Amino acid sequence: MVLAVPVPVQESAGNFITGALWNAQVYNGLTFTLNQPCAFLYQSVTQSIANTTFTPLTFDAETFDTYGGHSTVTNTSRYTAQVAGVYWVSVGAVYLTNGVGARYALIGKNGSYTAVNGMTAAAAPVAGIGYATVSGQIQLAVGDYVEGFAYQSSTAALSTSVTYQCSAMSVLWVHA
Protein backbone atom coordinates (compact mmCIF):
# COMPACT_ATOMS: atom_id res chain seq x y z
CA MET A 1 0.00 0.00 0.00
CA VAL A 2 1.44 3.37 -1.01
CA LEU A 3 0.62 6.16 1.44
CA ALA A 4 0.86 9.84 0.55
CA VAL A 5 3.34 12.04 2.36
CA PRO A 6 1.32 13.81 5.07
CA VAL A 7 0.79 17.55 4.77
CA PRO A 8 0.56 19.33 8.14
CA VAL A 9 -2.34 21.74 8.44
CA GLN A 10 -3.28 24.25 11.09
CA GLU A 11 -6.68 24.27 12.66
CA SER A 12 -8.41 27.32 14.05
CA ALA A 13 -10.02 27.70 17.44
CA GLY A 14 -13.59 26.49 17.62
CA ASN A 15 -13.25 23.70 15.04
CA PHE A 16 -14.53 20.34 16.18
CA ILE A 17 -12.33 17.32 15.60
CA THR A 18 -14.43 14.98 13.49
CA GLY A 19 -13.46 11.46 12.54
CA ALA A 20 -12.65 12.61 9.00
CA LEU A 21 -10.53 15.49 10.27
CA TRP A 22 -8.69 13.21 12.70
CA ASN A 23 -7.98 10.63 9.99
CA ALA A 24 -6.81 13.23 7.45
CA GLN A 25 -4.59 15.20 9.80
CA VAL A 26 -3.44 12.85 12.55
CA TYR A 27 -4.00 9.19 11.71
CA ASN A 28 -2.72 9.35 8.10
CA GLY A 29 0.36 11.30 9.14
CA LEU A 30 1.23 8.84 11.90
CA THR A 31 0.56 5.87 9.63
CA PHE A 32 2.98 7.24 7.01
CA THR A 33 5.59 8.07 9.64
CA LEU A 34 5.45 4.52 10.98
CA ASN A 35 5.43 2.97 7.48
CA GLN A 36 7.89 4.97 5.38
CA PRO A 37 9.20 3.56 2.10
CA CYS A 38 12.21 1.36 2.77
CA ALA A 39 13.82 -1.75 1.34
CA PHE A 40 16.76 -4.07 1.90
CA LEU A 41 17.92 -5.88 -1.24
CA TYR A 42 20.72 -8.44 -1.52
CA GLN A 43 22.42 -11.03 -3.70
CA SER A 44 21.96 -14.73 -3.03
CA VAL A 45 23.64 -15.68 -6.33
CA THR A 46 27.12 -14.55 -7.40
CA GLN A 47 27.50 -12.05 -10.23
CA SER A 48 30.50 -11.64 -12.55
CA ILE A 49 31.88 -8.09 -12.57
CA ALA A 50 33.92 -7.33 -15.71
CA ASN A 51 37.36 -5.79 -15.29
CA THR A 52 37.36 -1.96 -15.25
CA THR A 53 33.63 -1.69 -16.01
CA PHE A 54 30.99 -0.12 -13.78
CA THR A 55 28.36 -2.85 -13.52
CA PRO A 56 24.91 -2.55 -11.90
CA LEU A 57 24.62 -5.03 -9.03
CA THR A 58 21.68 -7.39 -9.44
CA PHE A 59 19.64 -8.12 -6.33
CA ASP A 60 17.67 -11.36 -6.61
CA ALA A 61 16.43 -11.32 -3.01
CA GLU A 62 15.03 -8.87 -0.48
CA THR A 63 14.44 -8.89 3.25
CA PHE A 64 11.68 -6.28 3.01
CA ASP A 65 10.29 -3.75 0.54
CA THR A 66 7.47 -1.78 2.15
CA TYR A 67 6.25 0.03 -0.98
CA GLY A 68 7.04 -2.46 -3.75
CA GLY A 69 9.86 -0.42 -5.32
CA HIS A 70 11.97 -3.48 -6.23
CA SER A 71 11.34 -6.56 -8.34
CA THR A 72 13.32 -9.79 -7.99
CA VAL A 73 12.32 -10.66 -11.57
CA THR A 74 12.51 -7.50 -13.73
CA ASN A 75 15.24 -4.83 -13.52
CA THR A 76 16.61 -6.48 -10.38
CA SER A 77 19.34 -3.86 -10.00
CA ARG A 78 16.81 -1.07 -9.42
CA TYR A 79 14.82 0.36 -6.56
CA THR A 80 12.13 2.65 -8.03
CA ALA A 81 10.68 5.44 -5.88
CA GLN A 82 6.94 5.10 -5.25
CA VAL A 83 6.93 8.30 -3.15
CA ALA A 84 8.89 11.46 -4.02
CA GLY A 85 11.47 12.66 -1.53
CA VAL A 86 15.00 12.40 -0.26
CA TYR A 87 16.21 8.83 0.23
CA TRP A 88 19.19 7.52 2.20
CA VAL A 89 20.82 4.86 0.04
CA SER A 90 23.62 2.50 1.08
CA VAL A 91 25.38 0.06 -1.23
CA GLY A 92 27.91 -2.61 -0.39
CA ALA A 93 29.76 -4.53 -3.10
CA VAL A 94 31.40 -7.75 -1.86
CA TYR A 95 33.98 -9.52 -4.03
CA LEU A 96 35.75 -12.88 -3.99
CA THR A 97 39.39 -12.92 -2.92
CA ASN A 98 41.87 -11.50 -5.44
CA GLY A 99 44.99 -9.58 -4.43
CA VAL A 100 45.19 -7.37 -7.53
CA GLY A 101 43.67 -3.94 -8.18
CA ALA A 102 41.01 -1.98 -6.35
CA ARG A 103 37.32 -2.41 -5.55
CA TYR A 104 34.67 0.30 -5.84
CA ALA A 105 31.00 0.82 -5.01
CA LEU A 106 28.92 3.64 -6.39
CA ILE A 107 25.30 4.81 -6.25
CA GLY A 108 23.60 5.65 -9.54
CA LYS A 109 20.35 7.46 -10.30
CA ASN A 110 18.28 6.68 -13.42
CA GLY A 111 21.13 4.75 -15.02
CA SER A 112 23.78 7.46 -14.51
CA TYR A 113 26.50 7.50 -11.94
CA THR A 114 28.61 10.42 -10.85
CA ALA A 115 30.89 11.18 -7.94
CA VAL A 116 28.12 13.46 -6.68
CA ASN A 117 26.12 10.33 -5.85
CA GLY A 118 29.07 8.91 -3.93
CA MET A 119 31.78 6.40 -4.60
CA THR A 120 34.25 4.63 -2.35
CA ALA A 121 37.30 2.53 -3.10
CA ALA A 122 38.89 -0.31 -1.20
CA ALA A 123 42.22 -2.02 -1.75
CA ALA A 124 42.15 -5.57 -3.06
CA PRO A 125 42.50 -8.13 -0.27
CA VAL A 126 45.38 -10.58 -0.29
CA ALA A 127 43.25 -12.96 1.77
CA GLY A 128 39.53 -12.97 2.50
CA ILE A 129 36.81 -11.16 0.64
CA GLY A 130 37.10 -7.62 -0.65
CA TYR A 131 34.39 -5.03 -0.30
CA ALA A 132 33.56 -1.39 -0.89
CA THR A 133 30.64 0.52 0.57
CA VAL A 134 29.03 3.86 -0.15
CA SER A 135 26.02 5.72 1.21
CA GLY A 136 24.37 9.08 0.76
CA GLN A 137 21.18 11.03 0.25
CA ILE A 138 19.56 11.22 -3.17
CA GLN A 139 16.50 13.23 -4.27
CA LEU A 140 14.03 11.03 -6.17
CA ALA A 141 10.79 11.84 -7.95
CA VAL A 142 8.12 9.14 -8.34
CA GLY A 143 9.47 6.76 -11.01
CA ASP A 144 13.15 7.67 -10.50
CA TYR A 145 15.34 4.72 -9.59
CA VAL A 146 18.62 4.08 -7.81
CA GLU A 147 21.14 1.33 -8.44
CA GLY A 148 24.31 0.12 -6.81
CA PHE A 149 27.27 -0.18 -9.17
CA ALA A 150 30.35 -2.35 -8.67
CA TYR A 151 33.77 -1.79 -10.25
CA GLN A 152 36.98 -3.73 -9.89
CA SER A 153 40.42 -3.65 -11.54
CA SER A 154 41.88 -7.13 -11.01
CA THR A 155 42.85 -7.52 -14.75
CA ALA A 156 40.05 -10.09 -15.31
CA ALA A 157 36.39 -10.60 -14.45
CA LEU A 158 35.80 -11.10 -10.72
CA SER A 159 32.68 -12.50 -9.09
CA THR A 160 30.80 -11.12 -6.14
CA SER A 161 30.66 -13.24 -3.00
CA VAL A 162 27.56 -14.65 -1.33
CA THR A 163 29.20 -17.14 1.05
CA TYR A 164 29.60 -15.22 4.32
CA GLN A 165 28.73 -11.72 3.19
CA CYS A 166 26.94 -10.53 0.09
CA SER A 167 26.43 -7.39 -1.96
CA ALA A 168 23.40 -5.44 -0.77
CA MET A 169 21.51 -2.16 -1.09
CA SER A 170 19.46 -0.43 1.58
CA VAL A 171 16.98 2.35 0.70
CA LEU A 172 15.10 4.55 3.20
CA TRP A 173 12.83 7.55 2.56
CA VAL A 174 13.94 10.33 4.94
CA HIS A 175 12.37 13.62 3.86
CA ALA A 176 9.75 15.12 1.53
Side-chain angles (χ1 to χ4, degrees), residues 11 14-23 25-26:
E11 286 301 317
N15 278 0
F16 292 104
I17 298 177
T18 63
L21 185 63
W22 176 266
N23 286 339
Q25 297 179 12
V26 179

Side-chain angles (χ1 to χ4, degrees), residues 49-85:
I49 307 298
N51 185 52
T52 65
T53 303
F54 281 102
T55 305
L57 289 163
T58 55
F59 302 110
D60 62 309
E62 53 194 39
T63 303
F64 54 86
D65 179 7
T66 61
Y67 276 61
H70 176 256
S71 170
T72 57
V73 177
T74 305
N75 295 322
T76 61
S77 64
R78 301 176 180 183
Y79 177 86
T80 303
Q82 306 300 302
V83 175

Side-chain angles (χ1 to χ4, degrees), residues 3-9 20-37 67 173:
L3 299 172
V5 177
V7 178
V9 297
L21 185 63
W22 176 266
N23 286 339
Q25 297 179 12
V26 179
Y27 177 79
N28 290 349
L30 287 174
T31 302
F32 180 84
T33 301
L34 296 172
N35 186 35
Q36 297 173 355
Y67 276 61
W173 182 95

Side-chain angles (χ1 to χ4, degrees), residues 83-107:
V83 175
V86 176
Y87 286 76
W88 181 263
V89 180
S90 296
V91 173
V94 181
Y95 303 87
L96 292 176
T97 301
N98 181 306
V100 179
R103 310 293 177 262
Y104 297 87
L106 184 130
I107 298 169

